[in-house]
Amino acid sequence: AQSVAQPEDQVNVAEGNPLTVKCTYSVSGNPYLFWYVQYPNRGLQFLLKYITGDNLVKGSYGFEAEFNKSQTSFHLKKPSALVSDSALYFCAVDDSSNTGKLIFGQGTTLQVKP
Amino acid sequence: DTGVSQDPRHKITKRGQNVTFRCDPISEHNRLYWYRQTLGQGPEFLTYFQNEAQLEKSRLLSDRFSAERPKGSFSTLEIQRTEQGDSAMYLCASSSGPGELFFGEGSRLTVL
């Protein structure tokens, strides 16, 4: 069965420092991987996806993610965090049927302090 | 902004009552999804439509739940005989194909 794990409930970083939000996955076949962000009282917003190709994927708001097949990871990164990046981040995997049926991790709260 | 809209945003009901949520997807999107999210958890897939056809339902969707998309446009999710365990945020999303889903802001259900 497909699954996604986000090992950290919360990540704290200082503004201007690099940030990493971790995600590991378990799928059969080639994974379709996604990151979404949820701001308070707002809907989930798409950040980026990995389907195939370059292992480093660039997305919205300066975020990027690195696909590592050997470690089955898809960590979200940003070189310089902003206070406005503080939100709830979800990693997700398509269940390989390419239907948009996503399996989400439990989420990681990112807190960026000034 | 013609994003995904959901109505109502918040519904409070008594146990045993029926509730219905509506989702209006982005107009050119042929796929529509329903997810459920409880506090501290990621969204869980419930069901999805391609045009008016309901193609898959999760085991989470008991027989008290029914979803429709009668003309391939808006969709409704009805919960009959609500239970306290149904309290959650119900999310709707749409897409034009595989890949990025566009989510609405959700409909929060509180069952007393």
Side-chain angles (χ1 to χ4, degrees), chain A residues 32 34 36 38 41-44 46 49 51 88 90 94-95 97-102 104-107, chain B residues 9 31 33 35 37 40-45 48 56 91 95 97-106:
Chain A
Y32 292 13
F34 302 82
Y36 284 81
Q38 189 172 38
N41 300 313
R42 300 286 300 277
L44 283 159
F46 170 82
K49 66 183 177 185
I51 304 295
L88 182 57
F90 291 98
D94 190 291
D95 78 338
S97 61
N98 206 15
T99 60
K101 176 186 169 185
L102 300 182
F104 285 86
Q106 77 274 20
Chain B
R9 295 290 310 280
R31 296 186 179 191
Y33 306 82
Y35 284 79
Q37 185 178 20
Q41 300 296 319
E44 296 173 299
F45 170 82
Y48 98 97
E56 188 170 345
L91 302 173
S95 75
E100 179 182 354
L101 301 188
F102 292 81
F103 282 85
E105 295 186 348

Side-chain angles (χ1 to χ4, degrees), chain B residues 33-56:
Chain B
Y33 306 82
W34 286 99
Y35 284 79
R36 181 171 67 187
Q37 185 178 20
T38 53
L39 197 62
Q41 300 296 319
E44 296 173 299
F45 170 82
L46 293 179
T47 188
Y48 98 97
F49 294 82
Q50 180 146 334
N51 300 313
E52 66 275 11
Q54 188 174 17
L55 296 185
E56 188 170 345

